[in-house]
Every structure is written in structure tokens, then in C-alpha cells.
């Protein structure tokens, strides 16, 4: 194993040992900041706050002052491990076993942070800082409400004069093997609630009541009966999933007064939240009959977007093929990510580790994959600052 790879593995395990479950950073960004400062990066630690939301630790690090400016982005926060007794090893021990590191967040996405931090430090040690600028944009709020994280950190950097030329986000983009997939966009995400009011009464006297459940079922069917679209060249078809149906009724002899359903829509670039809401309201009106209903949508900060492939995408694909032998596909699949905020500032693509075990019991990443990912990022830096 090269010194560069060993540095990435060591940093990865140090990060995983910090139980940084959103919103508690637990010292993870301290670990990363210390490595970057020792390599000459200027660092800023910023805590963003907003009423009704937790305070969030963020880290911005930069070396160099000129263009081109390449930024690596990621998050040190992780989802809860669940029942630790169900894990093969303690979820925050970063145990090394059978060629893999086990621990919450190793795949999503502390392994990638360690890889791009080691690659950036190695590049600076080899080439100095005269060819441009490298930044790291690290938040602790990606797995949470994403209010006091990347969105505000980008504004912080911009207000201090930072102008980014390209960004790579280290989310775990590969389904099964390193090198399979680059994300060049993401679907949007819109949440909604359908609420139907009835009239409560005794089940033995239905004529005195009005059951909202059949009306709710009819309206749900109207929302999902027809496909929203057939997809586009880069996006799958938009999809509405009912995630909850509830009446809050524990009795067998009461017709409930109200019923509601909650749903999520993952939508492509044919829609905006506004046009999607209008379409669903139209469908509901057509099926409403005499239903007393409300269709409400949550504020949406996850719009569908696409980054058309460019020279930067070509550099990344070439680096991936060089070190894995695979030609990665360009995809917009998966959930949301902080790329939805970054894309307003510069072109952004996503490439990281294999995501097969992210958010699962016994989350792990192969040591070899972290080693190869570090080499990919290192080659990308060399090529980026020479073209």
C-alpha cells in the first residue's frame, strides 16, 4: 500500500471513530481540520444556527488563491447506527476485518472524505500551490434537515470571494463496484399530505356519519392511476409513493372523523414543484365528488437538475477507467444530495465509494476501494491542473 493510500485509510478510521450522528459533530471535523492545517490549508470552522433547528458544525478549507478552483464537498454527519448489539463490530470502532473497514458512515461518506483529503494533501506536497486552488466544503447537516449546512457554507465562501470552477461531491455513487457510476444530476423530491374530513359516528348507524376512508382511497387512486411521465434521456419516470395512510382510530365501533395519507414524489426535470402540485390538484379535483379534502405540499428545496457532461466529466471518467478498468455510466438515480445546492455555484458531479451497505447494519467499505478512490482523485487533480 502506498503512503498516500495508507494516509487515507488512517484518516478514514479516525473519522469513523467519531460518532458524528446528526447534529453532533463529535470531533470529526476537528480530526479533518488538523490534517489539512498541517498541510498548509487555511481553515474556517463555522457554526450555523436558525430558530427551531440544531446548531451545525461546518468546515471550509482552502489552499491557493488563483483559478482554476476545484472544490471537494462532503458531509461528516452520519445516520444513527440503530441497535449497536446487532452489528458485527461496534459501529464506531472502525474495525478492520477481511479487507474492509466496518463502521457507521464509512461508505456514506467518511471514506470518500478521507480519500479526497489525502489526495489533495498529496497533490500539494508534490506540486505546491501555484497551479490554482483546492477547497474542501464539509458540512455536518446533510443527513439532517440540510438547513444549517452546505447551502449556508456556500454563501459563506462566496461572500469571502471564493469562486468555484468545478466541484466533485464524494457521495457513494456506485451500486455494486467502484467505477460503475458518476452522478450528473438528481431527481427532485416533493412531500405532500392528503387529508379527508368526514363525520364521526357509530358503525351501527352509518347513515348518521360520513366515513372519510372510501373517499381517501378514491383520491389516492386518482393521484397514482396515471403515470406522471415516461422519463427523459437522462432521468427515469417521475414516481409518487404513498408512504403512510392513517385515521388515528383504535376502536372497532367508530367511524372516524378524518383520514389522511402522506406521500413523496421523486420527479425529473420535466417538472417543478409548482407544476407538479398543480397536476396533482387537478387529478384530485376530478375525483373529489363530494369529498371534503385538503391537498397540501411541503416546502421543496430539492429540485431536479442535470449537469450536462463537459471536459471535467471526461477527466473524471478517464481517471476512473485508468484505475478500475470500468467505463462509468452517467446517472441521475438515487435520492437527494447536497449537489442540489452546489449546482447554483458551479458545475458539480458526484463520485464516491460503493453504496451497497450505506445506512445499514454492518456498513463497510473495502480497503482496496478506498485506496483506488484515493488514486482516482489524485489523478483527477493532476489532470485538472494541467489542462
Amino acid at each position: 500500500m502506498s503512503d498516500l493510500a495508507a494516509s487515507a485509510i488512517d484518516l478514514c478510521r479516525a473519522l469513523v471513530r467519531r460518532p458524528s450522528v446528526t447534529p453532533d459533530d463529535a470531533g470529526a471535523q476537528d480530526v479533518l481540520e488538523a490534517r489539512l492545517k498541517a498541510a498548509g490549508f487555511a481553515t474556517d470552522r463555522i457554526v450555523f444556527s436558525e430558530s427551531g433547528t440544531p446548531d451545525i458544525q461546518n468546515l471550509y478549507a482552502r489552499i491557493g488563491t488563483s483559478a482554476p478552483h476545484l472544490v471537494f464537498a462532503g458531509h461528516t454527519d452520519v445516520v444513527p447506527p440503530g441497535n449497536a448489539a446487532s452489528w458485527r463490530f461496534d459501529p464506531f470502532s472502525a474495525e478492520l476485518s477481511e479487507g474492509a473497514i466496518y463502521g457507521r458512515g464509512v461508505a456514506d461518506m467518511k471514506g470518500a472524505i478521507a480519500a479526497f483529503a489525502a489526495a489533495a494533501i498529496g497533490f500539494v506536497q508534490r506540486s505546491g500551490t501555484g497551479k490554482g486552488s483546492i477547497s474542501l466544503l464539509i458540512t455536518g447537516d446533510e443527513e439532517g434537515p440540510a438547513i444549517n449546512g452546505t447551502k449556508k457554507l456556500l454563501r459563506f465562501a462566496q461572500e469571502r470571494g471564493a469562486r468555484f470552477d468545478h466541484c466533485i461531491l464524494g457521495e457513494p455513487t456506485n451500486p455494486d463496484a467502484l467505477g460503475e457510476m458518476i452522478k450528473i444530476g438528481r431527481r427532485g423530491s416533493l412531500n405532500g399530505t392528503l387529508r379527508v374530513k368526514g363525520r364521526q359516528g357509530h358503525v351501527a348507524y352509518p347513515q348518521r356519519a360520513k366515513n372519510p376512508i372510501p373517499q381517501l382511497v378514491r383520491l389516492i387512486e386518482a393521484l397514482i392511476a396515471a403515470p406522471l411521465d415516461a422519463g427523459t434521456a437522462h432521468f427515469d419516470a417521475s414516481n409518487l409513493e404513498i408512504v403512510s395512510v392513517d385515521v388515528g382510530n383504535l376502536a372497532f365501533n367508530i367511524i372516524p372523523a378524518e383520514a389522511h395519507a402522506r406521500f413523496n414524489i421523486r420527479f425529473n426535470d420535466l417538472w417543478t414543484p409548482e407544476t407538479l402540485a398543480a397536476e396533482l390538484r387537478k387529478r384530485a379535483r376530478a375525483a373529489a365528488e363530494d369529498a371534503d379534502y385538503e391537498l397540501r405540499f411541503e416546502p421543496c428545496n430539492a429540485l431536479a437538475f442535470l449537469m450536462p457532461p463537459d471536459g471535467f466529466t471526461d477527466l473524471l471518467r478517464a481517471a476512473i477507467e485508468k484505475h478500475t478498468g470500468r467505463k462509468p455510466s452517467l446517472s441521475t438515480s438515487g435520492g437527494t444530495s447536497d449537489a442540489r445546492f452546489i449546482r447554483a455555484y458551479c458545475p458539480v458531479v458526484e463520485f464516491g465509494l460503493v453504496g451497497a451497505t450505506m445506512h445499514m447494519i454492518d456498513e463497510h467499505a473495502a480497503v482496496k476501494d478506498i485506496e483506488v478512490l484515493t488514486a482516482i482523485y489524485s489523478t483527477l487533480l493532476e489532470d485538472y491542473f494541467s489542462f
Side-chain angles (χ1 to χ4, degrees), residues 206-223:
Q207 71 276 15
R208 298 177 182 174
K210 186 175 183 179
N211 195 329
I213 296 175
Q215 295 176 315
L216 179 69
V217 171
R218 186 174 70 249
L219 287 167
I220 289 174
E221 178 62 25
L223 296 185

Side-chain angles (χ1 to χ4, degrees), residues 23-364:
D24 184 10
D25 178 66
Q29 291 180 18
D30 293 337
V31 171
L32 181 59
E33 181 183 31
R35 302 287 181 102
L36 294 169
K37 289 182 74 171
F41 282 76
T43 63
D44 288 290
R45 293 291 296 280
I46 315 100
V47 177
F48 292 121
S49 304
E50 189 167 312
S51 177
T53 63
D55 294 350
I56 296 295
Q57 292 275 348
N58 298 274
L59 167 65
Y60 177 64
R62 177 174 178 171
I63 195 163
T65 58
S66 61
H69 189 172
L70 177 61
V71 58
F72 290 95
H75 61 91
T76 47
D77 64 315
V78 302
V79 298
N83 182 9
S86 298
W87 285 65
R88 181 180 178 187
F89 307 106
D90 183 291
F92 297 108
S93 65
E95 192 72 29
L96 183 59
S97 176
E98 298 175 349
I101 299 172
Y102 284 77
R104 174 58 82 225
V106 64
D108 185 17
M109 53 167 287
K110 290 180 175 180
I113 289 175
F116 63 57
I121 290 169
F123 176 79
V124 169
Q125 290 172 341
R126 293 190 305 274
S127 306
T129 59
K131 293 186 176 182
S133 301
I134 303 171
S135 289
L136 278 74
L137 197 80
I138 308 295
T139 184
D141 193 30
E142 198 273 347
E143 301 288 7
I147 292 173
N148 294 318
T150 296
K151 190 174 182 179
K152 292 183 178 180
L153 191 57
L154 285 159
R155 192 181 311 129
F156 168 89
Q158 184 183 57
E159 289 171 351
R160 282 151 185 78
R163 297 294 181 269
F164 304 129
D165 292 293
H166 291 93
C167 176
I168 181 165
L169 179 61
E171 288 286 351
T173 56
N174 300 283
D176 299 300
L178 190 69
E180 286 180 318
M181 185 176 291
I182 298 170
K183 297 289 177 69
I184 59 168
R186 292 278 186 162
R187 295 174 297 174
S189 178
L190 180 64
N191 296 321
T193 301
L194 173 62
R195 190 178 304 275
V196 179
K197 294 181 181 179
R199 186 168 59 252
Q200 190 180 73
H202 197 294
V203 295
Y205 303 94
Q207 71 276 15
R208 298 177 182 174
K210 186 175 183 179
N211 195 329
I213 296 175
Q215 295 176 315
L216 179 69
V217 171
R218 186 174 70 249
L219 287 167
I220 289 174
E221 178 62 25
L223 296 185
I224 65 176
L228 290 165
D229 56 68
T232 67
H234 289 286
F235 286 91
D236 292 337
S238 301
N239 183 60
L240 187 154
E241 286 293 331
I242 305 296
V243 298
S244 173
V245 176
D246 189 29
V247 295
N249 182 17
L250 300 179
F252 284 99
N253 60 351
I254 295 177
I255 293 171
E258 185 177 285
H260 68 269
R262 300 168 67 234
F263 57 89
N264 173 265
I265 309 159
R266 295 303 165 108
F267 60 93
N268 59 38
D269 56 349
L270 294 173
W271 301 95
T272 67
E274 293 76 20
T275 60
L276 195 52
E279 168 63 21
L280 294 175
R281 288 194 172 103
K282 182 176 74 173
R283 293 185 179 194
R285 283 195 303 271
E289 298 181 2
D290 63 341
D292 181 2
Y293 75 96
E294 176 191 28
L295 183 57
R296 181 173 56 84
F297 296 91
E298 301 296 322
C300 177
N301 68 356
L303 307 181
F305 72 93
L306 178 71
M307 289 290 159
D310 60 5
F312 182 69
T313 312
D314 293 340
L315 289 180
L316 178 56
R317 295 183 87 176
I320 292 167
E321 187 172 3
K322 174 181 177 180
H323 292 285
T324 69
R326 298 184 177 92
K327 294 182 178 180
S329 63
L330 302 180
S331 174
T332 59
S333 62
T336 60
S337 75
D338 278 354
R340 68 189 190 271
F341 304 127
I342 299 168
R343 59 111 177 188
Y345 290 78
C346 69
V348 54
V349 296
E350 302 176 55
F351 182 74
L353 290 167
V354 174
T357 64
M358 61 180 176
H359 293 206
M360 295 177 66
I361 299 294
D362 288 336
E363 179 179 352
H364 60 275

